[in-house]
Amino acid sequence: MDPNNPNKKDSYFQNWISVIGGILSVIFFTVILFLSFLDIWSKEINPYIGIITYFLAPAFLTLSLILIPVGALRERAARLKHGTVRRFPAIDFNNPTHQKWAFTTIGVTTLFGLFTVFGLFRSYEFTESQTFCGRVCHEVMKPEFTAYHNSPHARVKCVECHIGPGAAWYVRSKFSGAYQVYSVVMKKYSKPIETPIKHLRPAQETCERCHWPQQFFGAVEQDKQYFLPDEANTEWRTRMLLFVGGGTRKFGKKEGIHWHMNIKNKVYYIATDEERHVIPWVKIIDPEGKERVYVDEESGFSAASPPPGEIRRMDCMDCHNRPSHNFRTPVDAVNEALSVGEIDRELPYIKREAVKALVGEYASEKEAAAGIRESLKAFYESEYPAVLKEKKDSLARSVNTVVKIYKSNFFPEMKVSWKAYPENIGHKDAPGCFRCHDNKHKTAGGEILTNDCNSCHIIMEQGKPGAIESNTGGLEFKHPDEDVGEAWKEMNCFDCHSGEIA
Ligand code: HEC
Ligand code: HEC
Ligand code: HEC
Ligand code: HEC
Ligand code: HEC
Ligand code: HEC
């Protein structure tokens, strides 16, 4: 302002702060415009461009834009102090200069508004994408991201399970998401990430949008091949019928695995550990409204004096805790590779050696790959030098498969493997169903929570190829390793089995 001529109306915007704000705004606006076009035309969203385009640049643009009025207000305050200011500017639409300014302002504001809406929409889309969930937090989420791509849910978006529909959960997830981004940047997350996830959205609002519990009925067949850790990698086959039914009475009797989920049945439980592996107290309220409480007789608790802790209503995730991030046990993964021929079952002791190589201690994926190759090579070199020569190609292919199994199921950087996240379906390698159905959970009246081998499934076929016994009505389980004999009648499978060689 010219102090000699207080009537000359310089714009308040003529100050350094506003000018710098203006210049920066133009720069950031151009950057956003440029990157947006790049993003629209390129096929896949690049997470880093995404972060710059939809988070960082808009944040800086907003700050720069704020600088403009801040500078002007300061300027005005300064001029007020010197008494050289009218309270409001006079706008006269007959004045061509005022006209020009008004239209420019309206135009720019509209453009900016439209652009902001577009930007907000894109950033919403972007934070919902698999790219954002899996790749941005690259190292942290790598285990889940990898397992997800190998799962039956590979085409279901992360947010369909982790957030689900509805504005309230969206906002909630963005708040906890913001905290998660912060903890990733500050390296405050735990390795492995702790589960069960505390505020996972209830299954009714996620899983049940696609899987309708009333539709569970009948049984599904499961045909599994196992291999013993002997020289011949002896094969063992089990064909079972799993009673997955139980959705509604309309489709059958009151029985079946999903019977828990019959919306009229309510199962409640209290776990005494964070992981929900130890469940001494279980209550069921049946459709007639009758209650039964089953308590682990060795726990010291009773129906009247339950353990301290949260009473949870059982839902899908209490069994299906790994629907999308199932880290296979080394035994299961090697059995499967042997059964489809990706590992050559003619190689002596390959089952035992492959599992042994997989469970070695490795600090990184790279170290593991080298370690696995080294350990298998060393074994055949010293024990079976002839095999090493004659079956060179098939050994190389088998070793590659073992390395591939490692990369899909072991993540040493995050300390993730099947050990960190045991699966609750079944009872061979972890308690799973036997957290409750272990023959020890009883009512005061002495009713036992069923542990009958034929209540959840029947075995229709079992045995070695060539000597398979079968009975569609159900066979008594026979243990594949003859030395174990009938020990399984006294002990739980998971007392001996843990996913490694027992
Ligand atoms: C089919 C549903 C589903 C989908 C799809 C899904 N998740 Fe999960 N996720 C779960 C469940 C269930 C848990 C385990 C909750 C528990 O044990 O408390 C989980 C757990 C996690 C965990 C905690 C660590 C762990 O392994 O338990 C992370 C991290 C995670 N998910 C990330 C992702 C990412 C990233 C995606 C997409 C690439 C994704 N999830 C897709 C259902 C899903
Ligand atoms: C957006 C839809 C969607 C949601 C949400 C969803 N699923 Fe699925 N689910 C699918 C599809 C599709 C399949 C694959 C069906 C197939 O392969 O036949 C599937 C398959 C499955 C299977 C069978 C897996 C197998 O090995 O055959 C299970 C178990 C399952 N889902 C459980 C869950 C659970 C638990 C949740 C909630 C955490 C969930 N789903 C959420 C769509 C969904
Ligand atoms: C009591 C434990 C338990 C609960 C609770 C449970 N499931 Fe299951 N579910 C199983 C078992 C066991 C199987 C069969 C084994 C398998 O497929 O891995 C199964 C199979 C399935 C399948 C595949 C069925 C098929 O025909 O192949 C789907 C889909 C599924 N469950 C979804 C759900 C959903 C959704 C919920 C929640 C409404 C749920 N389950 C609750 C134990 C449970
Ligand atoms: C949190 C404890 C708990 C867990 C874990 C659990 N169940 Fe159950 N289950 C119950 C209760 C309680 C009942 C009802 C018993 C009754 O009728 O009084 C039941 C009943 C059943 C029934 C019906 C039995 C009948 O009366 O015919 C089947 C089948 C079943 N469960 C299968 C499973 C399978 C398979 C798993 C593992 C994937 C599993 N359950 C895990 C608590 C549990
Ligand atoms: C509460 C229900 C329940 C009871 C009781 C039960 N099972 Fe199972 N069993 C399951 C489920 C669920 C699976 C896992 C199916 C899968 O892997 O998808 C399973 C798996 C198995 C398998 C295949 C092993 C594997 O994981 O590859 C065998 C063998 C088996 N059970 C034998 C038995 C025997 C023997 C008994 C009696 C001591 C028994 N089961 C009692 C629910 C039950
Ligand atoms: C007393 C310990 C013990 C008990 C209890 C036991 N097993 Fe085993 N099991 C072994 C041993 C030892 C082997 C041979 C080494 C190996 O393969 O892990 C074996 C091998 C197996 C195999 C073939 C190898 C493989 O791929 O895993 C299967 C399948 C199996 N057991 C299933 C079961 C089931 C299901 C139960 C529970 C009903 C059970 N076992 C209970 C000790 C036991």
PDB file of all heavy atoms in Angstrom, residues 271-287:
ATOM      1  N   ALA A 271     -13.641 -67.400  26.390  1.00  0.00           N
ATOM      2  CA  ALA A 271     -12.273 -67.900  26.239  1.00  0.00           C
ATOM      3  C   ALA A 271     -11.414 -67.279  27.325  1.00  0.00           C
ATOM      4  O   ALA A 271     -11.638 -66.132  27.719  1.00  0.00           O
ATOM      5  CB  ALA A 271     -11.729 -67.532  24.863  1.00  0.00           C
ATOM      6  N   THR A 272     -10.451 -68.053  27.810  1.00  0.00           N
ATOM      7  CA  THR A 272      -9.607 -67.502  28.870  1.00  0.00           C
ATOM      8  C   THR A 272      -8.271 -66.998  28.341  1.00  0.00           C
ATOM      9  O   THR A 272      -7.429 -66.552  29.099  1.00  0.00           O
ATOM     10  CB  THR A 272      -9.352 -68.544  29.983  1.00  0.00           C
ATOM     11  OG1 THR A 272      -8.914 -69.756  29.356  1.00  0.00           O
ATOM     12  CG2 THR A 272     -10.607 -68.811  30.787  1.00  0.00           C
ATOM     13  N   ASP A 273      -8.054 -67.085  27.027  1.00  0.00           N
ATOM     14  CA  ASP A 273      -6.830 -66.519  26.460  1.00  0.00           C
ATOM     15  C   ASP A 273      -7.188 -65.574  25.317  1.00  0.00           C
ATOM     16  O   ASP A 273      -8.287 -65.637  24.775  1.00  0.00           O
ATOM     17  CB  ASP A 273      -5.892 -67.628  25.958  1.00  0.00           C
ATOM     18  CG  ASP A 273      -6.525 -68.426  24.811  1.00  0.00           C
ATOM     19  OD1 ASP A 273      -7.760 -68.390  24.680  1.00  0.00           O
ATOM     20  OD2 ASP A 273      -5.787 -69.072  24.062  1.00  0.00           O
ATOM     21  N   GLU A 274      -6.245 -64.702  24.980  1.00  0.00           N
ATOM     22  CA  GLU A 274      -6.470 -63.717  23.923  1.00  0.00           C
ATOM     23  C   GLU A 274      -6.773 -64.372  22.580  1.00  0.00           C
ATOM     24  O   GLU A 274      -7.553 -63.860  21.788  1.00  0.00           O
ATOM     25  CB  GLU A 274      -5.216 -62.839  23.758  1.00  0.00           C
ATOM     26  CG  GLU A 274      -4.998 -61.850  24.886  1.00  0.00           C
ATOM     27  CD  GLU A 274      -5.908 -60.639  24.766  1.00  0.00           C
ATOM     28  OE1 GLU A 274      -6.069 -60.149  23.635  1.00  0.00           O
ATOM     29  OE2 GLU A 274      -6.464 -60.213  25.788  1.00  0.00           O
ATOM     30  N   GLU A 275      -6.122 -65.501  22.316  1.00  0.00           N
ATOM     31  CA  GLU A 275      -6.256 -66.141  21.001  1.00  0.00           C
ATOM     32  C   GLU A 275      -7.555 -66.930  20.858  1.00  0.00           C
ATOM     33  O   GLU A 275      -7.849 -67.444  19.791  1.00  0.00           O
ATOM     34  CB  GLU A 275      -5.078 -67.095  20.732  1.00  0.00           C
ATOM     35  CG  GLU A 275      -3.741 -66.409  20.504  1.00  0.00           C
ATOM     36  CD  GLU A 275      -3.081 -65.989  21.812  1.00  0.00           C
ATOM     37  OE1 GLU A 275      -3.356 -66.636  22.855  1.00  0.00           O
ATOM     38  OE2 GLU A 275      -2.323 -65.002  21.809  1.00  0.00           O
ATOM     39  N   ARG A 276      -8.305 -67.055  21.943  1.00  0.00           N
ATOM     40  CA  ARG A 276      -9.541 -67.843  21.966  1.00  0.00           C
ATOM     41  C   ARG A 276      -9.279 -69.314  21.643  1.00  0.00           C
ATOM     42  O   ARG A 276     -10.048 -69.960  20.933  1.00  0.00           O
ATOM     43  CB  ARG A 276     -10.585 -67.268  20.998  1.00  0.00           C
ATOM     44  CG  ARG A 276     -10.933 -65.819  21.303  1.00  0.00           C
ATOM     45  CD  ARG A 276     -12.005 -65.283  20.372  1.00  0.00           C
ATOM     46  NE  ARG A 276     -12.078 -63.833  20.499  1.00  0.00           N
ATOM     47  CZ  ARG A 276     -12.299 -62.994  19.484  1.00  0.00           C
ATOM     48  NH1 ARG A 276     -12.485 -63.458  18.275  1.00  0.00           N
ATOM     49  NH2 ARG A 276     -12.351 -61.710  19.686  1.00  0.00           N
ATOM     50  N   HIS A 277      -8.170 -69.835  22.143  1.00  0.00           N
ATOM     51  CA  HIS A 277      -7.865 -71.244  21.956  1.00  0.00           C
ATOM     52  C   HIS A 277      -8.358 -72.070  23.140  1.00  0.00           C
ATOM     53  O   HIS A 277      -8.574 -73.259  23.025  1.00  0.00           O
ATOM     54  CB  HIS A 277      -6.358 -71.471  21.780  1.00  0.00           C
ATOM     55  CG  HIS A 277      -5.836 -70.946  20.478  1.00  0.00           C
ATOM     56  ND1 HIS A 277      -4.513 -70.692  20.252  1.00  0.00           N
ATOM     57  CD2 HIS A 277      -6.473 -70.608  19.336  1.00  0.00           C
ATOM     58  CE1 HIS A 277      -4.360 -70.234  19.024  1.00  0.00           C
ATOM     59  NE2 HIS A 277      -5.531 -70.167  18.459  1.00  0.00           N
ATOM     60  N   VAL A 278      -8.468 -71.432  24.302  1.00  0.00           N
ATOM     61  CA  VAL A 278      -8.892 -72.161  25.503  1.00  0.00           C
ATOM     62  C   VAL A 278     -10.295 -71.711  25.868  1.00  0.00           C
ATOM     63  O   VAL A 278     -10.522 -70.557  26.231  1.00  0.00           O
ATOM     64  CB  VAL A 278      -7.919 -71.885  26.671  1.00  0.00           C
ATOM     65  CG1 VAL A 278      -8.291 -72.750  27.873  1.00  0.00           C
ATOM     66  CG2 VAL A 278      -6.482 -72.144  26.240  1.00  0.00           C
ATOM     67  N   ILE A 279     -11.243 -72.640  25.722  1.00  0.00           N
ATOM     68  CA  ILE A 279     -12.655 -72.282  25.909  1.00  0.00           C
ATOM     69  C   ILE A 279     -13.282 -73.200  26.946  1.00  0.00           C
ATOM     70  O   ILE A 279     -13.804 -74.261  26.616  1.00  0.00           O
ATOM     71  CB  ILE A 279     -13.415 -72.382  24.562  1.00  0.00           C
ATOM     72  CG1 ILE A 279     -12.756 -71.477  23.520  1.00  0.00           C
ATOM     73  CG2 ILE A 279     -14.888 -72.031  24.744  1.00  0.00           C
ATOM     74  CD1 ILE A 279     -13.434 -71.474  22.171  1.00  0.00           C
ATOM     75  N   PRO A 280     -13.201 -72.820  28.226  1.00  0.00           N
ATOM     76  CA  PRO A 280     -13.712 -73.726  29.255  1.00  0.00           C
ATOM     77  C   PRO A 280     -15.227 -73.658  29.447  1.00  0.00           C
ATOM     78  O   PRO A 280     -15.804 -74.535  30.095  1.00  0.00           O
ATOM     79  CB  PRO A 280     -12.995 -73.258  30.534  1.00  0.00           C
ATOM     80  CG  PRO A 280     -12.590 -71.848  30.267  1.00  0.00           C
ATOM     81  CD  PRO A 280     -12.494 -71.652  28.790  1.00  0.00           C
ATOM     82  N   TRP A 281     -15.893 -72.650  28.910  1.00  0.00           N
ATOM     83  CA  TRP A 281     -17.305 -72.413  29.251  1.00  0.00           C
ATOM     84  C   TRP A 281     -18.117 -72.129  27.993  1.00  0.00           C
ATOM     85  O   TRP A 281     -17.789 -71.220  27.225  1.00  0.00           O
ATOM     86  CB  TRP A 281     -17.365 -71.227  30.196  1.00  0.00           C
ATOM     87  CG  TRP A 281     -18.684 -70.954  30.853  1.00  0.00           C
ATOM     88  CD1 TRP A 281     -19.103 -71.413  32.065  1.00  0.00           C
ATOM     89  CD2 TRP A 281     -19.737 -70.122  30.351  1.00  0.00           C
ATOM     90  NE1 TRP A 281     -20.359 -70.935  32.346  1.00  0.00           N
ATOM     91  CE2 TRP A 281     -20.765 -70.137  31.314  1.00  0.00           C
ATOM     92  CE3 TRP A 281     -19.919 -69.381  29.195  1.00  0.00           C
ATOM     93  CZ2 TRP A 281     -21.957 -69.436  31.149  1.00  0.00           C
ATOM     94  CZ3 TRP A 281     -21.104 -68.678  29.024  1.00  0.00           C
ATOM     95  CH2 TRP A 281     -22.109 -68.705  29.996  1.00  0.00           C
ATOM     96  N   VAL A 282     -19.142 -72.939  27.747  1.00  0.00           N
ATOM     97  CA  VAL A 282     -19.953 -72.804  26.534  1.00  0.00           C
ATOM     98  C   VAL A 282     -21.424 -72.882  26.899  1.00  0.00           C
ATOM     99  O   VAL A 282     -21.830 -73.758  27.676  1.00  0.00           O
ATOM    100  CB  VAL A 282     -19.659 -73.947  25.533  1.00  0.00           C
ATOM    101  CG1 VAL A 282     -20.370 -73.698  24.216  1.00  0.00           C
ATOM    102  CG2 VAL A 282     -18.181 -74.124  25.314  1.00  0.00           C
ATOM    103  N   LYS A 283     -22.223 -71.982  26.326  1.00  0.00           N
ATOM    104  CA  LYS A 283     -23.659 -72.023  26.608  1.00  0.00           C
ATOM    105  C   LYS A 283     -24.437 -72.067  25.302  1.00  0.00           C
ATOM    106  O   LYS A 283     -24.089 -71.402  24.339  1.00  0.00           O
ATOM    107  CB  LYS A 283     -24.072 -70.774  27.387  1.00  0.00           C
ATOM    108  CG  LYS A 283     -25.569 -70.731  27.691  1.00  0.00           C
ATOM    109  CD  LYS A 283     -25.900 -69.713  28.745  1.00  0.00           C
ATOM    110  CE  LYS A 283     -26.103 -68.330  28.126  1.00  0.00           C
ATOM    111  NZ  LYS A 283     -26.526 -67.336  29.118  1.00  0.00           N
ATOM    112  N   ILE A 284     -25.469 -72.874  25.280  1.00  0.00           N
ATOM    113  CA  ILE A 284     -26.338 -72.896  24.107  1.00  0.00           C
ATOM    114  C   ILE A 284     -27.763 -72.546  24.521  1.00  0.00           C
ATOM    115  O   ILE A 284     -28.237 -72.995  25.563  1.00  0.00           O
ATOM    116  CB  ILE A 284     -26.294 -74.274  23.404  1.00  0.00           C
ATOM    117  CG1 ILE A 284     -27.537 -74.470  22.523  1.00  0.00           C
ATOM    118  CG2 ILE A 284     -26.300 -75.422  24.387  1.00  0.00           C
ATOM    119  CD1 ILE A 284     -27.267 -75.013  21.204  1.00  0.00           C
ATOM    120  N   ILE A 285     -28.382 -71.680  23.731  1.00  0.00           N
ATOM    121  CA  ILE A 285     -29.808 -71.425  23.932  1.00  0.00           C
ATOM    122  C   ILE A 285     -30.497 -71.969  22.692  1.00  0.00           C
ATOM    123  O   ILE A 285     -30.269 -71.484  21.585  1.00  0.00           O
ATOM    124  CB  ILE A 285     -30.091 -69.921  24.098  1.00  0.00           C
ATOM    125  CG1 ILE A 285     -29.263 -69.371  25.264  1.00  0.00           C
ATOM    126  CG2 ILE A 285     -31.589 -69.688  24.336  1.00  0.00           C
ATOM    127  CD1 ILE A 285     -29.444 -67.889  25.507  1.00  0.00           C
ATOM    128  N   ASP A 286     -31.305 -73.014  22.871  1.00  0.00           N
ATOM    129  CA  ASP A 286     -31.910 -73.664  21.710  1.00  0.00           C
ATOM    130  C   ASP A 286     -33.199 -72.951  21.290  1.00  0.00           C
ATOM    131  O   ASP A 286     -33.637 -72.017  21.967  1.00  0.00           O
ATOM    132  CB  ASP A 286     -32.087 -75.165  21.978  1.00  0.00           C
ATOM    133  CG  ASP A 286     -33.155 -75.460  23.013  1.00  0.00           C
ATOM    134  OD1 ASP A 286     -33.953 -74.550  23.321  1.00  0.00           O
ATOM    135  OD2 ASP A 286     -33.195 -76.591  23.518  1.00  0.00           O
ATOM    136  N   PRO A 287     -33.797 -73.367  20.162  1.00  0.00           N
ATOM    137  CA  PRO A 287     -34.967 -72.638  19.639  1.00  0.00           C
ATOM    138  C   PRO A 287     -36.127 -72.573  20.633  1.00  0.00           C
ATOM    139  O   PRO A 287     -36.938 -71.666  20.565  1.00  0.00           O
ATOM    140  CB  PRO A 287     -35.354 -73.438  18.395  1.00  0.00           C
ATOM    141  CG  PRO A 287     -34.132 -74.163  17.995  1.00  0.00           C
ATOM    142  CD  PRO A 287     -33.369 -74.428  19.247  1.00  0.00           C
TER     143      PRO A 287
END
